[in-house]
Amino acid sequence: MDEKKLTWQKLVLVASLIFGMFFGAGNLIFPVQLGQLSGGNWLPATVGFLITGTIVPFLAMMAVSVTNSQSVYDIAKPVAPWFGTVFLVAIHMTIGPFFGTPRTAATAFSMGVAPFVPVKYQGLAMLVFSAVFFGLAYFLTVKESGLLKWVGRYLNPLFLGLLLLVLVLSLVMPMGNTHQTVSAAYQSNAAFQGILDGYNTMDGIALLALAVSVVYAVKGLGFHKKQVSTVLAKAGLLSIVAEAVIYAALVLVGTSSLGLFKPSANGGDAFAQIVGHYMGNFGTALTGVIVTLAVFTTAMGLFVSFSQDMHRVFPKVSYLWWLRVIAFGSFVTANAGLTNIVAWSVPVLMLLYPFALVLILLSLFSKYFKHSALVYRVVVAAVTVPAGLDALASSPLVSLGSVQRVVNGYHQFVPFAALGFGWVVPATVGALVGLCAYVVTSRQAATALD
C-alpha cells in the first residue's frame, strides 16, 4: 500500500487538533497569574513553567509515538496489566469527571456568565449553563469522527483569533514594565515554582490520555500505521511551539499588568481585568467568549478520549455509555463549585505526575532495555512513597499535627522534597538499580542458553 503524503495543510490540521484539545482555561489563566506573582523574576519562572507546560506534553506525545501505543494503558502496561488499568482509570477520572471537565464549565461560567448574573441567581444559572455546556459537548462527540472537524477546523482557529487580538493589544500598549515586585514564592527557586505551576495545566497527563483521539484522527486522514508516529511527532512539535509562544506572551502580559493592578486572587480575575482595561464592557463579554471556546474544545477532547479508552479497557461497556458517564459526572461535579474542584485537584496531580513522568521517560528509552518489566517495576515502586508524600503535603490534611510531622521529616531528609520534587532522587536510584538488575538477569539468561 502506497504511503500517503503529509501535506502542510494536514499537518496544521492535526497540530490544531492537538493544541485545541489540551489548551483550555487553565492554560490561559495560569500563565497570567504566574506573570503577576513572579514579577521581575518572570523569566526563570517562565522557563520552569514551559518544562511542564510544553516539553513534558511533547515528550508524552513522543512516548505514544515511539511505542505505537493506542492509549495510556499501553504506556503503563509494561509495569503490569492491572497497573495499566488502574493508571488509565486514575488519569481519566482526574482529567475527566472528577476535576478536568468540571473545571472547564465552572471556569467558563465564572469568567463568562457570572459577571452578568445577580448573585442570588448564580446557583440556578450555573445549573442551566453546565447542563447546556455538557449536553452540547455530548452531542458533538457522539460520533468519534466528528472531533477533528469541530475542534481542528472551526472552534480552535476562532479561539486563537480572539486570543491573538487580546495579546497584540496588551503587548503593543503595555501597562507597565517587567521589573515589578516579586511574590514570596518566586523570590528564590522561581524556576522550580514555575515547574510546579505547570502541573496545574494537567497537560503532561492529559497528553497521555488524549493521544488516543489524535491517533484516531491521524488514521482517519488515511495514514498507515508506520506513518502515524511521524505525523504525531511533527504535529505535536508544531502545536507545542505555538503554545510556548502564547505562554510567554501571557506571562509578560500578566507581569505588565502590575503597572496598573495589584495581583489578583486568580489568573481568571487577572485576565478579565486586563481585557476590561483595553476593551471596557465589551472586553468582559469577549473574555467570556474566549474562555468558553478554550474550555469547550478541551471538554470535547476529554469526552472522546475518556470514552474511547474506557471502552477499550472495558469492551463490554459501549463508547456511548461511557460518554454518558463523563457527561453526567462532569455536570454533577461542576456544580460542587470551582473552589472545591481546584483545591482537591492539586494533591491528586502531585500524586499522578511523578508516575506519568517516569512512564514517559521509560517509554522513550525502553528500546535500550528491551521494554523490561523489571526496570519499569523498580522505577515505579521507587516513586510510589515520595509521590504519595508530595500529595499529602499539598492536601488539606497537612494541617493535622501527625501528618505535618511526617511531611516535615520527609522534607528534611529527602533531597528536593521541600520543593515538591522528592520523587526525583528515588526515581533515579530506582532506574539505576533496575538497569543493573536487567543487565545481570540478561547475562544469566544468555549463559543458561549457552
Side-chain angles (χ1 to χ4, degrees):
M1 187 178 293
D2 295 333
E3 291 190 350
K4 193 174 184 67
K5 182 179 180 181
L6 177 61
T7 63
W8 176 251
Q9 290 81 0
K10 290 181 179 178
L11 179 63
V12 172
L13 183 61
V14 177
S16 178
L17 170 65
I18 296 171
F19 182 95
M21 284 196 302
F22 70 77
F23 194 96
N27 308 79
L28 184 65
I29 64 180
F30 287 129
V32 177
Q33 185 177 31
L34 182 145
Q36 285 198 332
L37 296 177
S38 61
N41 286 344
W42 68 271
L43 184 56
T46 302
V47 172
F49 188 86
L50 292 180
I51 291 175
T52 43
T54 61
I55 295 178
V56 170
F58 177 68
L59 292 178
M61 183 67 65
M62 290 302 298
V64 172
S65 173
V66 300
T67 58
N68 293 316
S69 299
Q70 296 299 307
S71 72
V72 66
Y73 172 80
D74 295 329
I75 294 291
K77 183 181 177 180
V79 179
W82 68 264
F83 181 82
T85 301
V86 171
F87 191 64
L88 179 147
V89 172
I91 281 187
H92 275 298
M93 287 298 179
T94 299
I95 65 174
F98 284 173
F99 301 114
T101 45
R103 191 176 74 176
T104 60
T107 303
F109 177 81
S110 64
M111 295 183 64
V113 179
F116 303 98
V117 178
V119 175
K120 63 179 180 179
Y121 295 120
Q122 291 206 358
L124 177 60
M126 176 59 188
L127 194 70
V128 174
F129 176 83
S130 58
V132 173
F133 184 94
F134 291 122
L136 186 58
Y138 170 82
F139 173 76
L140 293 177
T141 52
V142 167
K143 292 185 178 180
E144 300 173 48
S145 60
L147 181 65
L148 182 64
K149 172 184 175 182
W150 284 100
V151 177
R153 293 183 179 175
Y154 302 115
L155 295 180
N156 189 49
L158 180 57
F159 159 68
L160 287 177
L162 291 171
L163 179 60
L164 181 62
L165 175 62
V166 175
L167 291 179
V168 169
L169 288 173
S170 301
L171 297 177
V172 171
M173 298 180 291
M175 291 169 277
N177 56 51
T178 57
H179 303 285
Q180 312 288 359
T181 302
V182 181
S183 299
Y186 297 86
Q187 289 177 1
S188 60
N189 301 312
F192 283 103
Q193 184 61 43
I195 292 174
L196 292 177
D197 288 340
Y199 280 6
N200 290 324
T201 66
M202 299 188 186
D203 286 349
I205 60 174
L207 250 294
L208 287 176
L210 293 172
V212 62
S213 297
V214 182
V215 170
Y216 267 86
V218 172
K219 289 182 177 180
L221 292 175
F223 291 99
H224 306 204
K225 184 175 182 179
K226 293 182 179 180
Q227 291 180 285
V228 172
S229 60
T230 301
V231 175
L232 285 177
K234 291 181 178 180
L237 179 61
L238 182 61
S239 64
I240 290 301
V241 169
E243 187 181 31
V245 172
I246 292 176
Y247 276 157
L250 287 170
V251 170
L252 283 172
V253 168
T255 302
S256 173
S257 70
L258 294 175
L260 292 178
F261 306 113
K262 294 180 179 180
S264 299
N266 57 70
D269 292 344
F271 190 74
Q273 278 186 321
I274 292 168
V275 176
H277 167 74
Y278 289 108
M279 301 181 183
N281 291 333
F282 173 75
T284 302
L286 180 63
T287 301
V289 173
I290 291 176
V291 172
T292 300
L293 285 175
V295 300
F296 189 71
T297 57
T298 303
M300 287 177 61
L302 292 173
F303 268 41
V304 172
S305 63
F306 175 90
S307 304
Q308 288 175 338
D309 274 0
M310 297 296 276
H311 173 59
R312 183 173 289 106
V313 176
F314 305 103
K316 292 184 178 181
V317 182
S318 69
Y319 167 86
L320 188 61
W321 196 90
W322 284 117
L323 198 62
R324 291 168 181 164
V325 168
I326 189 173
F328 181 74
S330 299
F331 166 74
V332 173
T333 308
N335 284 277
L338 182 59
T339 301
N340 291 328
I341 295 171
V342 174
W344 281 102
S345 68
V346 173
V348 174
L349 290 174
M350 293 296 288
L351 174 66
L352 290 180
Y353 252 98
F355 290 106
L357 290 170
V358 297
L359 287 172
I360 289 170
L361 293 174
L362 287 170
S363 298
L364 290 173
F365 296 101
S366 59
K367 68 177 182 180
Y368 297 108
F369 52 87
K370 297 182 180 180
H371 310 278
S372 170
L374 177 62
V375 178
Y376 273 87
R377 290 169 183 172
V378 173
V379 175
V380 168
V383 304
T384 298
V385 172
L389 290 173
D390 284 339
L392 194 62
S394 303
S395 73
L397 297 176
V398 76
S399 60
L400 300 176
S402 58
V403 174
Q404 184 65 62
R405 287 191 291 273
V406 172
V407 170
N408 287 341
Y410 168 60
H411 287 175
Q412 182 178 356
F413 294 107
V414 178
F416 309 116
L419 299 174
F421 301 97
W423 59 271
V424 172
V425 172
T428 304
V429 173
L432 293 175
V433 172
L435 289 172
C436 289
Y438 163 72
V439 172
V440 171
T441 54
S442 297
R443 288 179 177 176
Q444 290 176 342
T447 302
L449 290 175
D450 293 338

